[in-house]
Structures are given as C-alpha cells and as structure tokens.
Amino acid sequence: MESNDQRGLSDGDSPTAFETTSNPIIAAKGEPLVVVDHVEKYYGDFHALKDVNLTVNKGEVVVVIGPSGSGKSTLCRTINRLETINAGEIRIDGKKLPEEGKRLAELRADVGMVFQSFNLFAHKTILENVTLGPMRVRRQKKADAENAAKTLLKRVGVEAQAAKMPAQLSGGQQQRVAIARALAMKPKVMLFDEPTSALDPEMINEVLDVMVQLAHEGMTMIVVTHEMGFARKAADRVVFMADGEIVEEAEPEEFFTNPRTDRAKDFLSKLLTH
C-alpha cells in the first residue's frame, strides 16, 4: 500500500505557499473545548452511536478512524448538529449545543466543517465563496472580508484562483478553498469528515499538507480519515471506532505499534495486508 508520504503533489499551486506568519492560531492545550457526553444516535432501529464519550481539548488534534459504518462520520456531524442526537449532550467551549434557531447558528459558526464533497457554491467565484459566511454571519464589511479571504487563500496556496469559479479548479484546489472558507469564520474547532476521500491520489497530499500545517499552528481539529500517514504525523490522539462505539484511544505511535483490543488489531492488520 502506497503511503501518502510517497505520493507526489499535483502540478499547479503549491501548498508550500501556506504562510504561518499571517493570523497564526494560538491555543493552549488542556482546557476542554468539545465534550461529547453519553451520546446516543439512532437511524430508525439502527443504533449508530452507542454511549459515546469524547473530550477534545483546545489545540488538540484528534483523528477518528475505524471501518466503514463504525459511526465516525455520524459522530463528526453531530458535533455541529448536522445530525440530531437521541440522548446525551454535546458542549462546545462549555456551551450546550442548542436544538435549533439563532443560538444554534451562532454556535455552529464556531465549528468549521470540511466535507468529503467540497460543497462550494458553483455559481460564485472562489473569493465570493470564502467571503459569504463572514459577511452574512459575522457581519464583516465586504472590503474586510475580501482582504481576510485573500490572506487565507494565499495561506492554502490558491490565491491565484480567487476570480475563478469552482468548476475551473482541481479537486485538491477546491478542497483547499473549502478549508479557507471554514477558517474565514474564525472557528474554535475544525471538523474534517473524510476530506480526501473524493480526491484523486495525486491531490491528496496537497490537502493533507494544509491540514498538517493547521495542526502545527495549534488549531483544534477532529479529523475523520482513512489516511493513516496523517494520523501518525499530525494527531495528538487516535480514536478508534467500531460498531458505533469508541473501542480504543491512544497516542498515534502507541495505537499503531501496540493496539490493545482485538478489534483494533484486526483493523490494522487488514490495512497492512492490502
């Protein structure tokens, strides 16, 4: 199996243009930022999340892995309430996630999310995609939002694409724009739901490089991914899920070299033999 470290970057804008000096994200690790407390989730009779408990501290990078159908993406989507929960509680920076309405919209603005599909507005330019949220939700003036957006687009290496439409960009470029769009809201935490799964192999590293840089800057991140190289390189903690439950969690090196549960050992053995 080819590792991400062995894959080449695609041609075009280089993610090395990511600048750490502009608007660095500083956070002290240790204080709880996201708390998932005894969360249950059903889809009809299907028990998708079973008594899930997870605390993510400020500045921490938590990578959630596991087989398909294990509940990883469902957990990610409950944290900003794209999915409702049936029992339990989720708190962001000490505040309970509201059911609906203005308070939910305000709290959701603190939780940036990057999806498998890029979810850019096809009829708006790249610059417009990044400025829309800050102008509408954060009430930023257009000039301020555009200046901030240009800085973010430069940070993720796609500043030259600002006037183009999403369809004119590669998948890797579009996903980097999606990251810039989420960052434009100045979120307290970033959620990534399998952000590279829709990309061609040569485009994966250009997105992962941006995510690694964010991790190094101290952005709080919860990342659902199949990219084990990223988990080893950037995670503070790996959370392994199976059948709707958190089965095991540990520091990356400990998890990958010495998994404690049979379920995790089986999962890792299949990765290494394919």
Side-chain angles (χ1 to χ4, degrees):
M1 184 176 68
E2 187 181 30
S3 72
N4 285 323
D5 295 333
Q6 294 170 312
R7 291 173 182 152
L9 294 173
S10 65
D11 295 333
D13 294 317
S14 168
T16 57
F18 196 108
E19 296 193 358
T20 60
T21 54
S22 59
N23 189 29
I25 301 152
I26 306 298
K29 292 182 184 178
E31 187 178 333
L33 181 62
V34 178
V35 177
V36 178
D37 189 7
H38 295 288
V39 164
E40 304 272 353
K41 171 65 180 176
Y42 288 86
Y43 294 106
D45 293 331
F46 177 65
H47 202 173
L49 296 177
K50 304 171 183 175
D51 193 30
V52 171
N53 294 278
L54 178 67
T55 297
V56 179
N57 297 320
K58 289 182 179 177
E60 189 178 19
V61 179
V62 172
V63 171
V64 184
I65 65 174
S68 297
S70 60
K72 308 183 302 293
S73 291
T74 300
L75 174 61
C76 192
R77 291 170 67 85
T78 61
I79 291 172
N80 73 344
R81 218 175 179 284
L82 287 174
E83 298 283 357
T84 58
I85 60 177
N86 297 100
E89 187 174 278
I90 298 173
R91 298 185 295 278
I92 309 291
D93 208 9
K95 298 177 182 176
K96 182 180 176 182
L97 204 57
E99 298 272 328
E100 57 189 17
K102 186 178 179 183
R103 285 184 59 241
L104 176 60
E106 289 171 352
L107 198 57
R108 194 178 274 165
D110 289 335
V111 184
M113 188 151 187
V114 178
F115 302 87
Q116 296 177 41
S117 51
F118 322 121
N119 287 9
L120 299 177
F121 293 109
H123 61 290
K124 292 185 178 294
T125 67
I126 296 309
L127 186 65
E128 288 169 340
N129 265 277
V130 179
T131 59
L132 187 63
M135 289 169 60
R136 287 192 178 178
V137 180
R138 300 292 194 195
R139 303 298 182 197
Q140 282 187 14
K141 294 180 180 177
K142 183 178 181 180
D144 293 338
E146 287 187 347
N147 286 335
K150 288 173 183 176
T151 299
L152 286 168
L153 291 172
K154 186 175 183 180
R155 288 177 68 199
V156 300
V158 290
E159 69 272 26
Q161 317 298 333
K164 293 183 179 178
M165 307 302 281
Q168 296 176 276
L169 274 61
S170 71
Q173 290 172 329
Q174 289 188 61
Q175 193 62 296
R176 284 187 273 152
V177 172
I179 293 172
R181 181 180 61 178
L183 289 173
M185 297 295 288
K186 298 181 179 177
K188 293 178 180 178
V189 57
M190 288 277 286
L191 308 176
F192 294 84
D193 185 10
E194 301 194 14
T196 59
S197 65
L199 299 177
D200 293 332
E202 69 270 17
M203 296 178 186
I204 290 174
N205 266 358
E206 64 186 61
V207 173
L208 292 179
D209 283 351
V210 171
M211 293 170 61
V212 168
Q213 190 62 60
L214 274 179
H216 288 166
E217 290 184 14
M219 169 59 81
T220 309
M221 298 165 62
I222 301 172
V223 184
V224 174
T225 186
H226 293 288
E227 300 295 332
M228 299 302 137
F230 174 80
R232 282 180 175 270
K233 184 187 297 186
D236 294 300
R237 184 163 33 122
V238 172
V239 171
F240 174 71
M241 293 187 70
D243 302 318
E245 299 177 286
I246 292 177
V247 176
E248 189 170 336
E249 51 184 301
E251 292 183 356
E253 199 59 32
E254 176 71 15
F255 177 79
F256 286 110
T257 60
N258 189 31
R260 299 188 305 273
T261 62
D262 290 339
R263 194 74 179 80
K265 289 174 185 175
D266 180 60
F267 175 77
L268 290 173
S269 70
K270 288 176 179 174
L271 285 180
L272 295 172
T273 55
H274 286 78

